[in-house]
Amino acid sequence: MAGKDVNTMKISPVVWKNGDVIKWEDANIHVMSHVIHYGSSVFEGIRCYNTSQGSAVFRLPEHIQRLLNSAKIYRMDPPYSREEICNATVNLIRESELDSCYIRPVVFRGLDMDNPSFGVYGMNNPIDTYIAMWQWGKYLGEEAIENGIDVCVSSWNRITSNSMPAMAKAGANYMNSQLIKMEAKLLGFAEGIALDDRGFVSEGSGENLFIVNNGKLITPPLGASILPGITRDSVIQIAREMGIEVIETSIQRSALYLADELFFTGTAAEISPIRSVDHIKVGNGKRGEMTKAFQDEFFAIIDARRPAPNNAQWLTFIADAEEKKTAVA
Ligand code: PMP
């Protein structure tokens, strides 16, 4: 099945909905669905790479586990196991015929047409699970990976963990992210860094943040209202393998200005160097050596040119799934 081209972006013509594969055109919901009014969704962002050994999804089980964790926090109980959602994702990639893509599973409170419910409570609304996918290039621009980006510290604080838990990747959290991102872009920056409610560095609107200082890697702890990023975890594991000390600690805003190197991590952003914060040059204003070293290892892993640290299985190959399916059939 051929992909759908919208403004040169290739979109999968098929979407997974509650166990069925449906057409992209049919993946619609009612305007009175709970999620539209009260933001009750949790979701994931996952990349499938066209690696040197065929298409493979990066850390698929970890992403789906985080999806289920996010759902659990919000008392949503999608009737699918981690394995079922992983298999559905892999099968959908095969049907979409995209060799690389960004995968978007989403779980939300919908609307029961026979027994509609419109209040905040939401527990009587059905839980719907969808998976969509499309081809997505470099999130912060093609040049960002090499040249780095200019960012600002946002005037908006990051959500606090006892009001909107950052540990859940909930759609509603991204209202906060939108404030941060819109402000940054309108001021001419590529991205904004939010401080937490105590004034310590938290994260970007859609990325975790790392500082390199005196050969050590420093990053805010989960307590700074950050999403437990899977790229963050990957970089920490790569650093440990390289014998680099990793410190998770509270970071003051001014430490951003004095860092030797600074970079963002995320599924969409991958590893993106930051060359200035609030117009103050970071280091020499270019991608730092350690940042490049992490990128080199990370890109080699996602291209299946080297194994993950501790020989962990970070890649789920699409062809393997096909073989498995044929063997079972
Ligand atoms: N923080 C936020 C707010 C994000 O949206 C993302 C992207 N999912 C990240 C961090 C990075 O997480 P990951 O590496 O798992 O994509």
Side-chain angles (χ1 to χ4, degrees), residues 13-27:
V14 281
V15 171
W16 190 86
K17 174 192 177 184
N18 297 334
D20 293 322
V21 175
I22 62 168
K23 285 200 284 195
W24 160 266
E25 288 80 10
D26 297 333

Side-chain angles (χ1 to χ4, degrees), residues 169-247:
K169 192 169 167 66
N173 294 1
Y174 288 81
M175 292 301 272
N176 178 241
S177 291
Q178 286 171 59
L179 290 172
I180 296 163
K181 185 81 180 182
M182 288 188 292
E183 181 188 55
K185 295 277 275 187
L186 290 172
L187 289 173
F189 298 99
E191 185 55 283
I193 296 171
L195 306 179
D196 68 15
D197 61 326
R198 306 161 306 161
F200 289 110
V201 172
S202 177
E203 59 181 350
S205 72
E207 308 87 5
N208 292 116
L209 182 84
F210 285 90
I211 290 185
V212 176
N213 259 350
N214 300 320
K216 293 179 185 156
L217 197 56
I218 307 162
T219 195
L222 296 189
S225 268
I226 62 164
L227 183 78
I230 287 162
T231 322
R232 174 184 184 273
D233 176 71
S234 306
V235 165
I236 289 174
Q237 290 198 45
I238 292 168
R240 295 211 167 114
E241 185 197 56
M242 291 163 85
I244 293 163
E245 190 180 345
V246 183
I247 305 165

